[in-house]
Amino acid sequence: MKIDILTLFPEMFAGPFSSSILKRAQERGLVEIGLINIRDFSTNKHHTVDDAPYGGGAGMVMGPEALFGAVEHVARKYGSKPGRVVLMCPQGIPFTQAYAADLAREETIVLVCGHYEGIDERVREALVTDEISIGDYVLTGGELPAMVVVDAVARLVPGVLGEALSVMEESFSNGLLEYPHFTRPREFRGLKVPEVLLSGHHEEIRKWRRRQSLLRTLERRPEMLKQAGLTREDREILKELLASLNE
Ligand SMILES: NC(=O)c1ccc(NCc2cccc(O)c2)nc1
């Protein structure tokens, strides 16, 4: 999978992409991450990429020339239009695990890191296929959201996480929050591991984990329960949990 990132600050990406899973994924050729400096496509001698907004108002807007130039550069690099051109912005669609899975199926995606008060609308109209927000807050630029998207998407590319992916996705993608995890030592500063996890009874362990996922989801994200595809057994457990919470 090829991910090209259009940014004014390519140096911001050196850290996250030069360590651990993302580094190894690139070394193994599973993911290619291209960093493209939007400023290289500025069309004026001052190399600016932003300008005052028509209609007045505070702040600056990123103009169309450099962004169009940068996206066309990517298209020429691959000899075809990019599959998806994703603008990171607060007005975007909330980024979710499902959205990451959707993007991970693409051969090439471009992430556009906007700045200033926003970007010229003609970029949205003519180039952008997706607008994504990583949360309801405004950041100084789209770079951090782009890193989040690259991390969430790259780990889903086949081979990047290996069998760990299926285990992780299975627990998260079942629509509930994860159950608690424990590892050695069995007791730490008086805090013990739940006995059931030491019992070796796999069916009991499965039930305990499912119950913990349901309890955690009920307590923290009850709205997720509606579309979680609950079994009859789950509903029984939820009834008990609700009864005990209402005691
Ligand atoms: N929540 C987010 O994903 C997010 C994304 C970007 C961003 N800032 C750059 C920007 C880019 C475009 C328009 C705009 O108004 C601001 N801030 C927050």
Side-chain angles (χ1 to χ4, degrees):
M1 174 178 203
K2 298 176 177 69
I3 304 175
D4 283 280
I5 303 173
L6 308 190
T7 174
L8 289 173
F9 303 103
E11 66 281 1
M12 276 183 75
F13 294 88
F17 298 163
S18 61
S19 50
S20 94
I21 288 176
L22 286 179
K23 179 170 186 261
R24 206 165 48 247
Q26 293 178 82
E27 286 167 347
R28 293 165 59 201
L30 295 169
V31 178
E32 265 177 63
I33 300 175
L35 293 172
I36 292 156
N37 192 329
I38 298 168
R39 200 169 298 285
D40 293 347
F41 298 88
S42 168
T43 54
N44 64 59
K45 60 179 180 301
H46 304 296
H47 302 298
T48 59
V49 292
D50 63 317
D51 208 333
Y54 279 118
M60 303 286 267
V61 173
M62 190 178 273
E65 298 101 327
L67 283 168
F68 271 75
V71 172
E72 282 150 10
H73 165 79
V74 173
R76 279 195 301 277
K77 184 165 88 163
Y78 298 127
S80 63
K81 271 161 56 84
R84 309 276 277 273
V85 177
V86 181
L87 172 67
M88 309 311 302
C89 66
Q91 302 83 5
I93 292 174
F95 186 55
T96 62
Q97 190 64 27
Y99 213 126
D102 175 44
L103 291 177
R105 284 190 278 274
E106 295 289 341
E107 184 47 38
T108 63
I109 59 174
V110 172
L111 302 181
V112 181
C113 303
H115 264 266
Y116 312 111
E117 276 52 49
I119 63 169
D120 186 284
E121 193 59 18
R122 287 163 291 190
V123 174
R124 272 194 172 90
E125 282 161 12
L127 294 181
V128 171
T129 59
D130 302 66
E131 295 184 39
I132 288 180
S133 168
I134 63 166
D136 291 336
Y137 38 82
V138 182
L139 302 168
T140 55
E143 279 76 14
L144 290 174
M147 288 174 210
V148 165
V149 169
V150 168
D151 190 298
V153 170
R155 65 185 287 282
L156 297 178
V157 170
V160 170
L161 275 193
E163 79 292 336
L165 173 66
S166 50
V167 173
M168 299 239 250
E169 290 326 287
E170 186 273 331
S171 58
F172 185 89
S173 305
N174 65 15
L176 297 176
L177 299 184
E178 281 221 353
Y179 48 77
H181 297 278
F182 295 86
T183 185
R184 278 187 286 274
R186 291 177 60 151
E187 180 168 341
F188 178 70
R189 297 188 183 174
L191 301 171
K192 294 181 180 161
V193 172
E195 277 305 316
V196 64
L197 297 181
L198 309 172
S199 68
H201 289 305
H202 298 294
E203 180 55 15
E204 289 304 309
I205 291 169
R206 184 194 65 78
K207 282 182 181 171
W208 180 87
R209 286 175 167 172
R210 186 70 179 175
R211 183 184 183 85
Q212 292 298 318
S213 282
L214 287 163
L215 174 59
R216 192 164 273 192
T217 310
L218 180 62
E219 288 174 330
R220 302 179 190 185
R221 300 287 301 279
E223 78 284 358
M224 286 175 71
L225 290 169
K226 276 192 285 294
Q227 66 264 7
L230 300 178
T231 63
R232 186 189 309 279
E233 181 192 21
D234 292 334
R235 293 181 197 286
E236 286 305 310
I237 296 170
L238 273 173
K239 262 190 230 140
E240 290 165 29
L241 291 172
L242 276 165
S244 58
L245 286 177
N246 291 335
E247 269 165 12

